[in-house]
Structure formats: structure tokens, C-alpha cells
Amino acid sequence: MRILLVNPPDDLTRVIGRGANLITPFEPLGILYIAAVLLGEGHEVTAVDAFVERLSSEDLEARIAAEKPDVVGLTVFTSNGGIVYDLGRWIKEHLPETLVVLGNVHASVFAEAYLKNGACDAVVHGEGEFVMRDLCRVLADKGRDFSELPAVSWIKNGEVVKAASAGRVEDLAELPFPARELVPQKLYNIPSVSNLPYKGSKKAIGKHMFTSRGCPNRCTFCTVHHSRRQRAAEAVRAVDEMEMLVRDYHASYLFIMDSLFIAKKKRVLEICDEIRRRKLDFLWGCEGHVRYVDPELVRAMESAGCHDMAFGIESGVQRLLDGVKKGISPEKVREAAKIVKQNSGIKLSGLFILGLPGETRQDSLETIRFATSLPLDMAQFSVLVPYPGSEIFYDLVEKGEIDTGVAPDGSLDPSVWLRYSSYVSYTDNDPIWVTPGLSSAELKALQKKAVRSFYFRPRHFVAQLKRLNLSSLPTMVKTAWDTFF
């Protein structure tokens, strides 16, 4: 069977404005994991990363038409949900024999709308590797009747059959490594202007990977909540993939994309020991958590090449942290940051959210003051987005307080999804939702004030200047102007 897996275009300039210049391109591992499983089944699989190749919708349509695949699989994010809507309808009109399958959280939330409006034939819910494998088996043996697949939504006799469950890979050892060879590797080098703390040479090659899935925490703004039981690869297998990326892809930096890499100290220490035992020469970064750091862990991570770590701090106001079930305190944040800085040279980033439910202007200013009081090397200040799939999203939908793009008659206006942006102040759009204590204009102004307050301090300003190459100066000046002012 001929299968084409696609990471669609994403018009980030409409979603985050000049902030798009700071995005580091990484391989679309979601579809590459699926590709690896399907290759193992003997299928003829190709992959297109239209985002990194900068393909227009028309370019992508021409590529798909030339391939004439039996199945097209499209990964869907909120930011490109409208592009996928139009693309899916085009494929179904021009290639009616091709089965159009959507996946990822956004597709799952809006499965009924996509299906009813003729944008796809099926939606895979949850982790898609083995669900797609089974879907292709059914397609080959029985045609387009997916009744036996509980993690698939589809159309039967003109009606939507809703998925009964979501796919989940219980043992990550059953998965092959992603089929990275299917996408053009030269396009994934770290750019001269980047949102990464790591700043290597012009020839630095950055890769990313997962060593676990799921997260034990319950943050209401996060879409990972459906998979709270964390499943982790054994330390040796995790380092096997690291070694492969260093050896075969010449990676000098790896970012570990796990929602919470340091949740299990024993496993992290084993990974660090294995990296040192193999004498692997690379730097890496990860998402951390203030509840899990201690001096021993931090020192072990740095000795194994850890270059940077990010804490999801969100707010400096305890009431707001409790409201989103963050499970931390400002005091714990300060203590954890001190542990990192006193026991290592790891660069520390803080991730903050402005406009949390119940937040006032004074609360936002307190969060900004808190951020500048911490020993952070970098900080990101996003505005709250009730992303589809999060607890906050469903709560606001139930209350009728958010525009989902779906009309009462089931018709869909995907342009609404462009307003689901964490960096909306860098655009002309208004936020999709604003907590009653703030206005849209206030929230956008506070986001820019936060960035100015953090980076206009002498040490941080000079540190960012040192990261620049002369060739990137014009781009960075334009980006900084829109970001700061």
C-alpha cells in the first residue's frame, strides 16, 4: 500500500507574527514514528514536511497529486487546523480513491466537524502508531469499514461513528526509532536566530527525541492530561537513540521533548551514567520541574552533558497556581532555581503564562517581578490559550465562553483557530479568550512589558547580543522590535 504522511504548512506569521523567526525547526517525529511502524509492515511510505520545506498549499497539493497515494495521513495542530481543513477537502475532491486520515489532539477534539464537513475519511485518536497500522490492515482486507477499531472516528452511511477510546503505546520498546531518513535532514540545522538556549557554531546540528510519554501532573491548561501515567523507555534504549543521532546524524545538541523528563530520578541517573560510560560527546536540554530537582541530580545531569533545562513556572501568584492545579509554590520555584545554579552551570529557562483564570493586572505585574527576581538565563512569557483538549478549554466550552469555530448547525469556520495563539501580542489578532480581570489590549501590552522587563536588564541584554551573528542582525532587530514594543 502506498502511504503518504504529511506535516502540513503552518502560517506562523499569522499566528505569532515575527515570533516565527525564533522557531527552531525539528523533524515531525509524530508522523515519523508512524512511518517507521508502517515501513515494518511492508508498506511503501513517504513523508513530506511541508512546514520545513516552506511549501505552499498549492505546492503540497501538487506533490500529493503526483504521488497518488492510497492513504494520506495528516498531523493537525490548532495553528494549521484551517490549512488541513482546506487540504483535506481538496484531496477528497481531486483524489476520491485516496483515504484521508487526520491525527493529533486538535483533530481528535474536532473529529466530528472535520468528518461532517468532508475534510477527511477517518480520525485517529491518541497515539497513532499501532492504530494506523491496524487501520491500514483493515483497509487492505475489508475496505473502509473501521468498526473494529475503537480509536478511530469515521463516517458510516453518512453518520459519524465516534471513537470509543484513544490509542496508547504501553511499552515504548515496541516502537522502532522514528524514520528520520524520510525527511530532508539539511533543513533541520539550528538557525542563527533561535529560541533555544543552546547557541552552537554555524554548523551545529540539533535534534530532538522522546524518552517517555505522558505526565503525572494535572495542569488544567495542558493537553497531555489524558495520559497521566508516564511510560518511559529503559535507560539503555534511550541512550541507544542518542548515540545513533550523534553517530549517524552528527548531532551536537539534543533536546529531550518529554513532558517531564526528570520525574524518575533513578532513571535519569542511569541515563547520565550510560552517556558517560559510552563517552558520548554532545550537549542536551530538557523540560524539568521544580519538585524533582536536587543537588545530586543536577550535578549528574551536567556531568553527562546537560546544557539547559526549563521550568514551567507559570505565575508568581499562589492563588493562580492553585487555580490551574500546578502543584507548586513561588517559594519552591525559588528553591529549585537556587539548587540548579549553585550546583551546576546549566542554563535555566522559566516558562510563564499571563492571563490565567482570575488574574488581574496586579497579578500579572507580580509574575513579571517574580520572573526578574529569579536566577534565570532566559524566559518565555506566553498568554493563556485554552488549547483544544485542555481542561480549561472544555470548561469554557461548557460555559459558552469561547469560540471554537464550530457553529450550532455543525458548519466550521477554521479561521477562528488563528486566534488560539500564545504570542498573540506579536500579531494584530485578539486573544481567543481573556480572563475577566483583564482586557485584550491590557493582556497584549503586559506580554510585551514582561519581555522588556526581563531582557532589558544589562546582563541579559548583553547575553542575547552575544548570541547573534552579523548575518542575523537585521532579522533579529525586526523581531525584537515587534516582541518588545
Side-chain angles (χ1 to χ4, degrees):
M1 190 176 294
R2 290 167 54 84
I3 302 170
L4 175 62
L5 301 175
V6 180
N7 184 35
D10 199 329
D11 190 358
L12 288 182
T13 56
R14 297 179 66 190
V15 179
I16 60 175
R18 288 201 191 273
N21 293 329
L22 300 175
I23 299 299
T24 300
F26 286 123
E27 299 109 319
L29 292 187
I31 64 171
L32 298 183
Y33 270 113
I34 293 172
V37 170
L38 295 176
L39 285 168
E41 289 278 294
H43 295 292
E44 182 181 341
V45 184
T46 54
V48 175
D49 187 349
F51 172 72
V52 78
E53 291 188 47
R54 299 179 182 270
L55 299 181
S56 66
S57 293
E58 294 73 21
D59 293 335
L60 181 55
E61 289 167 359
R63 184 87 66 92
I64 295 171
E67 290 276 346
K68 295 181 179 177
D70 299 303
V71 179
V72 170
L74 303 166
T75 186
V76 191
F77 298 93
T78 302
S79 55
N80 66 17
I83 293 173
V84 172
Y85 175 75
D86 293 334
L87 178 61
R89 288 162 61 94
W90 183 92
I91 297 170
K92 285 180 59 62
E93 177 183 353
H94 292 86
L95 298 170
E97 299 303 313
T98 297
L99 186 79
V100 181
V101 183
L102 307 185
N104 219 329
V105 176
H106 187 85
S108 294
V109 173
F110 293 103
E112 186 171 1
Y114 276 116
L115 288 162
K116 279 187 174 180
N117 288 281
C120 64
D121 299 296
V123 174
V124 168
H125 295 254
E127 296 168 7
E129 291 90 354
F130 297 139
V131 182
M132 272 294 286
R133 177 200 64 189
D134 295 343
L135 182 148
C136 291
R137 287 176 179 174
V138 170
L139 182 65
D141 295 340
K142 303 179 182 179
R144 299 188 177 195
D145 185 341
F146 304 119
S147 302
E148 64 187 71
L149 302 178
V152 175
S153 293
W154 57 292
I155 294 283
K156 181 179 182 180
N157 300 325
E159 298 294 325
V160 174
V161 178
K162 297 181 181 180
S165 62
R168 184 157 75 171
V169 180
E170 295 296 341
D171 183 0
L172 300 188
E174 294 180 359
L175 290 175
F177 293 153
R180 300 172 188 265
E181 69 276 8
L182 297 183
V183 291
Q185 292 299 311
K186 64 181 180 180
L187 299 179
Y188 298 103
N189 292 351
I190 299 173
S192 56
V193 177
S194 168
N195 59 347
L196 289 176
Y198 175 74
K199 174 66 169 65
S201 66
K202 290 184 178 180
K203 296 182 179 180
I205 296 177
K207 295 292 174 190
H208 70 316
M209 62 178 288
F210 290 89
T211 76
S212 69
R213 292 183 179 183
C215 179
N217 295 314
R218 301 184 300 137
C219 304
T220 61
F221 52 81
C222 183
T223 61
V224 184
H225 66 89
H226 63 277
S227 184
R228 287 188 60 201
R229 190 175 67 78
Q230 193 173 38
R231 293 143 291 142
E234 295 294 330
V236 170
R237 177 179 168 81
V239 181
D240 283 346
E241 186 169 359
M242 295 174 180
E243 184 172 18
M244 179 271 294
L245 291 171
V246 173
R247 180 190 65 236
D248 298 343
Y249 292 90
H250 312 293
S252 54
Y253 175 82
L254 300 178
F255 188 78
I256 299 171
M257 298 287 289
D258 302 18
S259 297
L260 183 48
F261 174 65
I262 66 171
K264 298 177 181 178
K265 178 180 176 179
K266 180 176 181 293
R267 175 176 170 272
V268 176
L269 293 177
E270 289 173 352
I271 289 173
C272 293
D273 288 343
E274 189 68 14
I275 291 172
R276 290 192 299 269
R277 188 186 70 78
R278 300 190 196 189
K279 299 180 180 179
L280 298 180
D281 184 18
F282 69 98
L283 297 176
W284 52 278
C286 67
E287 296 274 354
H289 195 288
V290 301
R291 290 208 310 267
Y292 297 92
V293 294
D294 64 39
E296 180 189 15
L297 180 66
V298 168
R299 288 193 290 265
M301 290 170 64
E302 183 182 35
S303 71
C306 183
H307 171 271
D308 56 270
M309 180 163 48
F311 286 156
I313 300 171
E314 324 315 348
S315 176
V317 180
Q318 188 66 57
R319 182 185 86 258
L320 301 178
L321 293 171
D322 294 342
V324 294
K325 303 178 183 177
K326 185 65 185 177
I328 63 174
S329 66
E331 293 75 20
K332 186 63 179 176
V333 171
R334 197 177 298 281
E335 176 189 344
K338 184 177 178 181
I339 287 172
V340 173
K341 286 304 180 181
Q342 288 187 344
N343 291 277
S344 76
I346 293 173
K347 293 188 179 299
L348 189 60
S349 297
L351 311 179
F352 298 89
I353 300 176
L354 300 173
L356 293 173
E359 186 164 336
T360 66
R361 176 179 172 79
Q362 289 305 312
D363 291 332
S364 301
L365 294 175
E366 177 57 32
T367 291
I368 295 170
R369 284 192 291 269
F370 182 58
T372 57
S373 75
L374 297 170
L376 301 175
D377 298 285
M378 295 181 71
Q380 292 181 26
F381 298 91
S382 62
V383 300
L384 175 72
V385 178
Y387 281 113
S390 67
E391 183 178 327
I392 289 178
F393 172 80
Y394 288 120
D395 180 57
L396 293 175
V397 169
E398 185 177 347
K399 295 176 180 176
E401 295 183 11
I402 193 168
D403 189 351
T404 66
V406 182
D409 64 359
S411 60
L412 187 60
D413 177 11
S415 66
V416 169
W417 296 333
L418 295 174
R419 293 172 55 206
Y420 283 75
S421 170
S422 297
Y423 301 97
V424 69
S425 69
Y426 309 157
T427 74
D428 294 328
N429 297 330
D430 284 327
I432 192 65
W433 178 82
V434 179
T435 186
L438 295 167
S439 68
S440 292
E442 282 180 313
L443 187 55
K444 293 174 74 171
L446 284 164
Q447 185 175 37
K448 293 193 173 187
K449 176 179 175 57
V451 177
R452 290 196 305 271
S453 297
F454 188 88
Y455 285 107
F456 274 12
R457 294 175 295 166
R459 182 175 71 83
H460 291 78
F461 189 76
V462 171
Q464 295 308 307
L465 285 179
K466 289 180 178 179
R467 289 163 49 85
L468 296 179
N469 298 320
L470 287 178
S471 61
S472 66
L473 191 58
T475 298
M476 194 62 220
V477 168
K478 293 177 182 178
T479 302
W481 179 263
D482 284 352
T483 302
F484 294 147
F485 304 103

